[in-house]
Amino acid sequence: MAQLSPMMTQYMETKKQYPDCILFYRLGDFYEMFFEDAKTVSRELEITLTGKECGLEERAPMCGVPYHSVESYLARLIQKGYKVAIAEQMEDPKKAKGLVKREVIRVVTPGTVTSEQMLDDEKNNYLMGIVYLSGTFGIAAADVSTGEFLMTEVKTERELFDEINKFSPSEILCNEAFYMSGVDLEDLKNRLGFVISSQDNRFFSDDTCENILKKHFRVEQLSGLGITDYSTGMVAAGAVLLYMYETQKSRLEHITRLQLYSVGEFMVLDSSTRRNLELLETLREKQKRGSLLWVLDRTKTAMGARLLRSYLEQPLLKKAEIIRRQEAVEELNAHYISREEICEYLNPIYDLERLIGRISYKTANPRDLTAFRSSLKMLPYIKQLLTEFSGSLLREIMENLDVLEDIYSLLEQAIEEEPPVSVRDGGIIREGFSKEADQLRHAKTEGKTWLAELEAKEREKTGIKNLKIKYNRVFGYYFDVTNSFRDMVPDYFIRKQTLTNSERYMTEELKNLEEMILGAEDKLYALEYELFCEIRDKVAAEVLRIQKTAKAIAQLDVFASLSAVALRNQYVRPEINERGVISIKGGRHPVVELMSKDSLFVSNDTLLDNHKNRISIITGPNMAGKSTYMRQTALIVLMAQIGSFVPADAANIGICDRIFTRVGASDDLASGQSTFMVEMTEVANILRNATKNSLLILDEIGRGTSTFDGMAIAWAVLEHISNTRTLGAKTLFATHYHELTELEGCIGGVNNYCIAVKEQGEDIVFLRKIIKGGADKSYGIQVARLAGVPDSVIHRAKELVQELSDADITLRAKEIARAVTPTKHQSVPKPDEVDLQQMTLFETVKEDDIIKEISEMKLDSMTAIDALNTLYRLQTTLKNRWKDCEN
């Protein structure tokens, strides 16, 4: 029976240890893949599949990639969701006795990427652990590239989804109980593109997780981490840490802190709100340009860009913290010149968080250290400028900003100005840093000069006129003395070989010089590598100081960005209140006003509170600006709660615990849900999870179904929201159901607003101004004309609209709504007080049973929706009877 070759046996043994990974197996200058791995990589990367003799009857399928360009191939596989184990040669093949020793040095997974080529500078790359135990979800999220490590616990599936949306992880680990809990992450998985896997039970053992956390963070008890009361979260954190240990094969010394947080510390933004408000990317193109982040991001560093993104995803709920941020922005505005200088110094700073991550990983190359050094050079100037500021947050940033002079001095003395990328090619260490390295460097470049000087010195000293230093591979360097001068050879010359016409000699000095010259380059490269590793380790030992400074720089960068945007776009500092009042004067949409530079953006006011102005019903034609107005209100509230200034003439913002949006309509084909089903699912989520302190943005509720059903649903939703016993949330409600405007005065806290429109003959002009009152027309045909619908269609539409309006049930619904919905100062109307036109219908048809039913109705206990449904039923009955009479 055929057996595998020794090399292939070694490969198979390694592969058995990593069955769920593609194994990149180093052979010389290539990483090779075999068998199924080779087929997968060949297919996914579109590289040639070949074969290799392996000892079996058939050749093993094989493909490979060059070692020097492996990162680009890795990136493509990771993007497709694969895990890759990297097996390196652990000894020099030239010196190896027998089979070269190979080991897996790291496992690259979507959530544990550290390579620059695979990471987005402006976005964290999170690995998330989710554990379900005893009705609680434990959540831990780590960014192995920056050292960030967070943990929390939540009780509900909705809270879990909110956290997943917030972190947008690349990879999720979970325990078996989570899979069994029935939580369906398929939709989120498709939307966010993460990889999810269930790990072995050993990852989720209480003892294992507790021990690894205590060992890593060097604490005796979990109380030292402040997580004693979070047993489920502790297991999630321990599982994530163990997974990182096993994949990274590193001590992870840059992960220095486990940060416990509560979901109640920040405003909650669900996935619909993030998408609809276009916080981080646009809804359609998925691009940064056109999003709120695009407007606010004038950061100079990658760390600042990531922190600003985090601020947008986690608006604050504590008034004091919001005001601290506002004061920092305001002070930077007041010191405009100093702020511009700070930005100039921030601009050359590289990503300190990820640099120290690679340094701690021992994967940083010489160029990384020069980038680190050039960044540190800017710190003293920034700290000096910060002394001009007196606000508490900016003073705190200054105190946390360690200029790291000792590290800068070490790197300045040790590392060349422009070293190579490779750590093995020499040219890394500056001259003067190491005496031994200097000697080897000189030996490499000045060896011939030294030999010539020694030859001249010995010729003069001995008097041997034809004394020469020669070289061969057997003896190396030697003095050659002809027989005629043999008697003049001094005692310290050591004979090496006698020839017919001459003799060869060695001296102690020549021997030392030979050792220095021969192999000087190899020795120099080896020494420079050792020195580089020592320097890298010294920098890594200061990880806590460096991370503290990196955080301070990121904060300063964010506030400088918010300040620059505020001044450039003429934003104002909003007042913050806890009374639930949202008052905006001259508010503008931060994105739309920048995108529409050719036209003047029309500002609008907003007033919402917990009393008489809880709900604003907004009517008006399509394209008039209803959605823009509602979104701008939500964005202004959100901007205020991250500490930013806002696009308005003045603003007083009540802190909101959540912002909900139901905007737009689209089928969710992936999950088989129709437009209307998606809409109702989102509405259900809002009604179940909103509180009186939430802000709701509802656009065109009910339009995905029949007119009557849609209006009934919209009406009922409004009733539910307006009722302070069931919800009472502040709401902007846009609708084309003009009948809903009748709720003003009928339901407390409801007010009508509309978009001003100017008619010019058969055309209309959108004035974009929100005014008090409801719209009485939808202007649908005029909008169709503006959109370029052919005139023949427009003309026919006008004819049809007149015919349809005569039979429009919503007109009658409007009349009956006025009749049956009492205001505060009205009593419930009696049947004979209802519109006479309605009553004449019954007199004409002589339907005594219908008249009797109406007369017996208890209108004082009937809701508006009940009245509409009853009217619809009665009308249908009458129409059928009329048809029967006609026939």
Side-chain angles (χ1 to χ4, degrees), residues 117-158:
Q117 294 182 33
M118 296 186 232
L119 292 169
D120 182 344
D121 286 344
E122 299 182 0
K123 184 180 178 183
N124 285 96
N125 186 61
Y126 286 112
L127 167 69
M128 179 175 278
I130 301 175
V131 173
Y132 181 70
L133 295 171
S134 305
T136 299
F137 296 101
I139 301 171
D143 183 344
V144 77
S145 68
T146 66
E148 190 176 359
F149 196 11
L150 305 105
M151 187 200 88
T152 194
E153 289 182 354
V154 298
K155 290 291 186 183
T156 68
E157 188 175 315
R158 174 54 55 186

Side-chain angles (χ1 to χ4, degrees), residues 633-816:
T633 301
L635 290 175
I636 287 173
V637 170
L638 187 145
M639 289 171 67
Q641 289 188 225
I642 71 169
S644 171
F645 284 24
V646 300
D649 297 335
N652 192 338
I653 305 299
I655 294 175
C656 296
D657 61 357
R658 298 188 70 145
I659 295 177
F660 287 97
T661 61
R662 163 86 279 279
V663 179
S666 60
D667 289 353
D668 190 347
L669 299 178
S671 58
Q673 293 186 330
S674 68
T675 297
F676 185 64
M677 187 62 183
V678 171
E679 178 184 331
M680 289 299 100
T681 301
E682 292 183 2
V683 169
N685 170 49
I686 293 170
L687 298 183
R688 290 180 181 276
N689 294 289
T691 73
K692 65 177 183 178
N693 296 319
S694 301
L695 174 62
L696 313 187
I697 306 298
L698 303 176
D699 192 6
E700 308 293 351
I701 295 296
R703 71 176 174 181
T705 186
S706 68
T707 300
F708 199 78
D709 283 355
M711 184 170 66
I713 290 169
W715 191 313
V717 167
L718 276 170
E719 282 187 346
H720 180 89
I721 293 170
S722 65
N723 191 331
T724 54
R725 286 175 296 181
T726 55
L727 187 50
K730 292 176 284 293
T731 305
L732 295 177
F733 193 103
T735 184
H736 280 296
Y737 299 130
H738 295 166
E739 296 73 23
L740 297 180
T741 59
E742 297 301 314
L743 294 177
E744 182 182 59
C746 301
I747 298 178
V750 174
N751 296 279
N752 289 332
Y753 294 89
C754 65
I755 308 288
V757 174
K758 183 179 180 181
E759 294 190 60
Q760 294 180 339
E762 293 187 346
D763 294 325
I764 56 171
V765 176
F766 300 126
L767 301 180
R768 313 289 186 191
K769 199 69 179 174
I770 298 289
I771 59 175
K772 199 80 173 69
D776 55 357
K777 296 171 67 177
S778 289
Y779 298 100
I781 294 177
Q782 288 88 335
V783 172
R785 184 193 297 278
L786 288 175
V789 174
D791 290 342
S792 58
V793 176
I794 297 295
H795 180 71
R796 177 58 179 154
K798 287 180 181 179
E799 294 175 352
L800 291 171
V801 77
Q802 188 61 43
E803 296 176 19
L804 293 171
S805 64
D806 294 337
D808 189 357
I809 187 165
T810 60
L811 292 176
R812 301 185 184 187
K814 186 172 180 178
E815 293 166 357
I816 196 67

Side-chain angles (χ1 to χ4, degrees), residues 434-688:
S434 165
K435 187 177 291 186
E436 185 181 356
D438 290 347
Q439 288 177 341
L440 289 171
R441 192 176 292 110
H442 294 158
K444 177 188 169 192
T445 57
E446 301 175 18
K448 290 183 179 179
T449 303
W450 290 350
L451 290 170
E453 289 175 353
L454 178 61
E455 182 184 279
K457 184 179 78 170
E458 291 296 340
R459 188 183 296 138
E460 183 178 351
K461 188 175 179 181
T462 61
I464 302 173
K465 295 180 181 179
N466 63 352
L467 182 69
K468 290 183 178 179
I469 294 178
K470 294 184 178 181
Y471 172 82
N472 68 31
R473 291 185 177 182
V474 178
F475 291 105
Y477 290 102
Y478 57 87
F479 286 108
D480 185 71
V481 180
T482 59
N483 290 339
S484 57
F485 290 96
R486 188 166 53 188
D487 295 339
M488 299 176 66
V489 172
D491 295 340
Y492 59 86
F493 271 43
I494 303 168
R495 184 182 289 106
K496 297 290 290 180
Q497 186 181 23
T498 300
L499 301 177
T500 304
N501 298 319
S502 65
E503 289 188 344
R504 294 171 176 174
Y505 295 90
M506 173 65 71
T507 67
E508 194 67 33
E509 187 174 1
L510 181 59
K511 184 178 180 182
N512 292 337
L513 198 58
E514 178 186 62
E515 289 177 356
M516 194 175 295
I517 294 171
L518 294 180
E521 187 173 71
D522 292 340
K523 292 176 184 176
L524 175 62
Y525 290 174
L527 178 60
E528 286 203 37
Y529 174 70
E530 288 178 15
L531 292 171
F532 172 78
C533 291
E534 288 176 13
I535 295 163
R536 189 171 60 188
D537 290 344
K538 285 180 180 178
V539 175
E542 304 299 330
V543 60
L544 282 171
R545 292 170 61 201
I546 295 166
Q547 286 180 334
K548 191 174 182 180
T549 293
K551 183 178 179 182
I553 288 294
Q555 287 179 304
L556 180 60
D557 195 12
V558 168
F559 297 131
S561 175
L562 294 178
S563 170
V565 171
L567 280 181
R568 182 180 303 155
N569 299 336
Q570 298 180 317
Y571 292 175
V572 299
R573 176 179 173 175
E575 295 180 43
I576 303 297
N577 70 78
E578 295 173 316
R579 306 187 311 276
V581 176
I582 297 175
S583 175
I584 302 169
K585 300 292 184 184
R588 313 183 305 275
H589 193 295
V591 179
V592 175
E593 75 165 344
L594 287 189
M595 297 289 279
S596 54
K597 292 181 180 178
D598 298 334
S599 58
L600 182 66
F601 187 89
V602 178
S603 61
N604 278 296
D605 299 344
T606 303
L607 177 60
L608 294 168
D609 58 35
N610 293 333
H611 305 290
K612 294 181 179 180
N613 301 285
R614 286 195 303 277
I615 299 178
S616 295
I617 295 179
I618 305 164
T619 50
N622 287 319
M623 294 174 55
K626 298 191 301 296
S627 295
T628 298
Y629 169 70
M630 293 194 300
R631 282 186 172 106
Q632 87 182 28
T633 301
L635 290 175
I636 287 173
V637 170
L638 187 145
M639 289 171 67
Q641 289 188 225
I642 71 169
S644 171
F645 284 24
V646 300
D649 297 335
N652 192 338
I653 305 299
I655 294 175
C656 296
D657 61 357
R658 298 188 70 145
I659 295 177
F660 287 97
T661 61
R662 163 86 279 279
V663 179
S666 60
D667 289 353
D668 190 347
L669 299 178
S671 58
Q673 293 186 330
S674 68
T675 297
F676 185 64
M677 187 62 183
V678 171
E679 178 184 331
M680 289 299 100
T681 301
E682 292 183 2
V683 169
N685 170 49
I686 293 170
L687 298 183
R688 290 180 181 276

Side-chain angles (χ1 to χ4, degrees), residues 294-345:
W294 170 71
V295 173
L296 297 180
D297 189 3
R298 295 295 178 268
T299 55
K300 303 297 182 182
T301 70
M303 301 168 292
R306 289 195 298 272
L307 184 62
L308 176 59
R309 187 185 185 97
S310 172
Y311 280 5
L312 281 174
E313 292 178 318
Q314 301 182 110
L316 299 172
L317 295 181
K318 293 181 180 177
K319 180 179 177 180
E321 285 299 312
I322 295 171
I323 290 175
R324 283 186 82 211
R325 290 185 184 178
Q326 288 181 335
E327 289 172 347
V329 175
E330 189 168 56
E331 199 170 4
L332 287 164
N333 285 350
H335 295 76
Y336 170 82
I337 295 176
S338 295
R339 189 203 71 208
E340 287 300 299
E341 281 192 69
I342 287 173
C343 290
E344 287 294 321
Y345 288 123

Side-chain angles (χ1 to χ4, degrees), residues 1 244 425 726:
M1 182 177 176
M244 289 191 292
D425 291 347
T726 55

